[in-house]
Amino acid sequence: MDVPPPSPVARRVRSARQDWAAPGGSHDRFVAIARVGLPTAIGVLAAFLVMAPLTAGGDVSFLLDKNKVDVAQERMKTQAARYRGEDTKGQAFTLDAASAIQKSSAEPIVQLNQLAAQIQLTDGPANIKANTGRYDMDTEKVQLFGPLNATAAGGYDLKTTNATIDMKARTLESGGAATGTVQQGTFSANKLRANLEERTVTLDGNARLRIIPQRAEIAAMRATHIFAGLSAVLLSTTAVAQQPHNSNAPIDFGADHIELQDKANRAILSGNVAVKQAEMTLNSARMTVAYTGQVIGGNPQVSRLDASGGVIVKRPDQTARSQYAIYDLNRRVITMLGAVTLTQAGNTVNGGRLTMNLDTGRSVIDGSSVAGGSAGGSAASGGTVTQTGGRVTGTFSVPKRN
């Protein structure tokens, strides 16, 4: 059977395929290009996939979770993070946060949210809470931002803002105003520094402290003052007595600087010290507040106040000045020493020692600044008394007879 010759169209198609498949033709040239081009394209794609996270606008890493894998903007992010450490004494501390962000393992700074620090102290843990902060793992210092609250055993409650905590040294320093409660009472200041282990709180700038004293029950032993000569004359005249003072009233302290030393059972005030209790005020350059460490009815038992440097005690219609003063809260007596001046009802008395009995309202001045002076006197109307050589002398105005 004869095969009909191919049509002109078929001959053209066959000729084109023969030319494409011929040695050195288009097919051979395509294969040669693909043999080089395909590996090159694969290498470029692999390099892009590797380098893409590093060439992005910010760091890109992966957040690994038990149930999911997310892309995060930070290098490392963990939920419910906890950091542990020890101070120089081997006491443990922990730092918890709802979330912690660390840009890289090479950077020691960790950004914390909803953080809580617990520091073990000798008499119980101290707890500090804040909204945000940053933890330096190299220095073990925590910088807190915004409001924070610190509490500890013994009724300690400190509130401040923008503070720095040294976890190893167990110190806290505020960046703003501070208020709170300690065993001594309530306080406020422009700035606060606290040593949590030593239980000292230092207040700077407009420092204020309020103490509600609790008087110990002691036997009321009163010394009997015997006056001779001038004393008899003074007592026979009409004396101006003060009303009894309420020594159990709250005591408000103000100073440029206040340091509360709990372990030493005292508070030290310096710089423009101002004290107010009921109607009485006391001003001085420096003051030490001593208390027994016992707490009665939720209030500390304050025993005495020691003031020095330009001491001024004011009560209604009475002003006393001296170099030193001691306020014994248990005996309810103020003793003023050194260059004493007492002004009352228009009368001025100068001496070496002044004793003010806050229960009776009577003030007694001696010619000597030490106990056992050779003479003494009390303020009375119509005269001026001065001290000369350890004795009390003076000139008095005798009331006119009718």
Side-chain angles (χ1 to χ4, degrees):
M1 181 177 180
D2 295 333
V3 178
S7 66
V9 175
R11 287 197 296 270
R12 288 196 299 271
V13 172
R14 184 179 61 184
S15 297
R17 290 180 176 177
Q18 290 175 344
D19 292 340
W20 181 77
S26 299
H27 179 266
D28 288 349
R29 290 195 297 272
F30 174 78
V31 171
I33 293 173
R35 185 172 56 187
V36 176
L38 285 176
T40 302
I42 293 173
V44 171
L45 178 61
F48 174 77
L49 293 176
V50 172
M51 297 298 294
L54 302 180
T55 57
D59 289 344
V60 176
S61 62
F62 297 96
L63 172 65
L64 301 180
D65 188 86
K66 184 185 296 184
N67 302 317
K68 61 183 179 180
V69 177
D70 290 340
V71 178
Q73 296 299 320
E74 297 76 24
R75 177 68 63 186
M76 189 186 332
K77 181 176 181 180
T78 60
Q79 304 290 337
R82 167 167 285 191
Y83 300 87
R84 295 183 177 92
E86 292 183 349
D87 65 359
T88 55
K89 298 181 180 179
Q91 295 173 308
F93 66 81
T94 59
L95 186 63
D96 296 293
S99 64
I101 301 169
Q102 186 179 2
K103 288 187 177 181
S104 70
S105 59
E107 185 173 345
I109 305 299
V110 182
Q111 304 293 333
L112 305 172
N113 292 310
Q114 299 299 320
L115 62 94
Q118 184 176 91
I119 304 174
Q120 293 297 327
L121 304 177
T122 54
D123 55 352
N127 297 282
I128 303 171
K129 294 183 179 181
N131 292 331
T132 60
R134 60 195 303 268
Y135 175 42
D136 189 327
M137 292 186 289
D138 287 347
T139 63
E140 293 190 349
K141 291 183 178 180
V142 182
Q143 187 176 1
L144 305 176
F145 305 107
L148 67 98
N149 182 216
T151 58
Y156 284 80
D157 189 348
L158 314 179
K159 293 180 175 62
T160 184
T161 57
N162 303 329
T164 300
I165 303 173
D166 190 324
M167 304 294 283
K168 277 187 170 294
R170 301 176 180 272
T171 59
L172 182 150
E173 183 172 352
S174 74
T179 60
T181 303
V182 291
Q183 286 190 347
Q184 296 90 334
T186 58
F187 68 86
S188 64
N190 293 341
K191 192 173 182 180
L192 172 146
R193 298 192 309 275
N195 187 313
L196 301 177
E197 180 64 32
E198 297 300 325
R199 288 299 182 90
T200 60
V201 177
T202 302
L203 308 174
D204 289 315
N206 197 29
R208 297 290 182 266
L209 173 66
R210 164 169 276 208
I211 296 177
I212 301 178
Q214 194 71 26
R215 182 168 177 248
E217 294 298 329
I218 62 173
M221 301 298 295
R222 305 296 184 186
T224 303
H225 297 279
I226 302 176
F227 305 108
L230 180 61
S231 300
V233 174
L234 293 173
L235 290 175
S236 65
T237 60
T238 304
V240 179
Q242 293 285 312
Q243 293 295 322
H245 175 70
N246 181 11
S247 296
N248 289 329
I251 306 176
D252 293 311
F253 298 85
D256 295 336
H257 178 90
I258 298 178
E259 182 173 331
L260 307 175
Q261 301 176 354
D262 184 54
K263 288 188 175 181
N265 288 332
R266 67 183 180 186
I268 299 176
L269 297 79
S270 60
N272 300 310
V273 178
V275 180
K276 179 176 175 58
Q277 184 183 39
E279 81 290 345
M280 183 179 69
T281 62
L282 190 157
N283 297 83
S284 66
R286 296 168 298 279
M287 178 177 291
T288 299
V289 181
Y291 50 98
T292 64
Q294 296 179 346
V295 178
I296 301 176
N299 301 314
Q301 186 175 329
V302 180
S303 57
R304 58 187 278 172
L305 313 180
D306 290 75
S308 62
V311 180
I312 303 174
V313 177
K314 289 186 177 181
R315 298 185 63 199
D317 197 33
Q318 184 183 76
T319 301
R321 301 174 186 269
S322 66
Q323 297 173 351
Y324 308 96
I326 301 172
Y327 179 11
D328 188 329
L329 277 84
N330 289 329
R331 296 176 57 230
R332 303 192 182 189
V333 171
I334 296 178
T335 303
M336 305 183 71
L337 305 170
V340 176
T341 299
L342 174 63
T343 302
Q344 180 175 333
N347 307 302
T348 300
V349 180
N350 301 313
R353 183 183 65 175
L354 169 66
T355 302
M356 303 173 65
N357 189 313
L358 300 179
D359 276 343
T360 64
R362 182 174 293 277
S363 299
V364 178
I365 191 165
D366 294 340
S368 174
S369 59
V370 296
S374 60
S378 62
S381 61
T384 299
V385 182
T386 60
Q387 174 201 6
T388 302
R391 300 182 60 186
V392 178
T393 61
T395 301
F396 298 91
S397 300
V398 179
K400 295 181 179 180
R401 295 182 179 179
N402 294 330

